[in-house]
Amino acid sequence: MRRNNKWICLGIMLAVAIGLASCDRKTIYYHYEHAPVEGWEKGDVLSFEVPPVSEGTYREEVGLRIDKSYPFLGLCLVIKQTILPSGYVHLDTLNCNLIDQDGNNKGPGLSYYQYSFHVNTLRLQEGDSLYITVNHNMKREMMPGIADVGIRLDKQ
């Protein structure tokens, strides 16, 4: 019976260790919004609502998923962050290099390619929340091949 208890105890400790190792306690928000692959219109704004956070410094990233139909080497995004309740607004323009000169995707993937780009480092107060909007700022009105756009916020 003692031998059985030893294996049960070892199994529980292993499960707890795996559970703790797999947790990413720094990521407080990570969400993607779908953009129509056949074409993301210039006027279509994707929005993200980050719930209230604790006081601290946060790293903000934009994630992209594109497919092989994306026709350009890069993508220009406008990211607008509104900190609530103060109403402070910060605008960032992000130039994303997605494909090299030889036509090879720089991001990992097979049919969809994943990218992550640092946008900003934010200092937030206790109870602050964020309202973030993202839209493209390309000369072409309709951008095909962009499947998803996401926001990730990590506490530093």
Side-chain angles (χ1 to χ4, degrees), residues 23-126:
C23 290
D24 186 358
R25 296 180 194 268
K26 290 185 174 189
T27 300
I28 61 145
Y29 184 82
Y30 191 37
H31 180 76
Y32 275 83
E33 287 291 326
H34 179 69
V37 174
E38 60 278 358
W40 181 23
E41 291 188 48
K42 192 172 196 168
D44 286 348
V45 176
L46 301 175
S47 59
F48 304 86
E49 294 184 27
V50 179
V53 298
S54 60
E55 183 176 345
T57 303
Y58 294 86
R59 176 183 170 87
E60 179 185 13
E61 293 182 356
V62 166
L64 293 172
R65 293 182 187 127
I66 67 168
D67 70 10
K68 292 180 182 183
S69 69
Y70 186 72
F72 301 107
L73 301 178
L75 175 66
C76 181
L77 297 174
V78 176
I79 299 104
K80 178 180 175 182
Q81 304 110 33
T82 304
I83 299 174
L84 301 169
S86 71
Y88 175 77
V89 176
H90 182 80
L91 283 173
D92 282 298
T93 301
L94 185 63
N95 292 308
C96 308
N97 295 316
L98 305 174
I99 301 170
D100 67 20
Q101 295 295 331
D102 296 325
N104 300 312
N105 284 290
K106 291 183 175 183
L110 298 175
S111 60
Y112 284 89
Y113 301 93
Q114 178 85 29
Y115 300 88
S116 182
F117 299 97
H118 178 257
V119 177
N120 197 2
T121 301
L122 302 166
R123 177 79 185 147
L124 300 173
Q125 302 302 315
E126 185 73 31

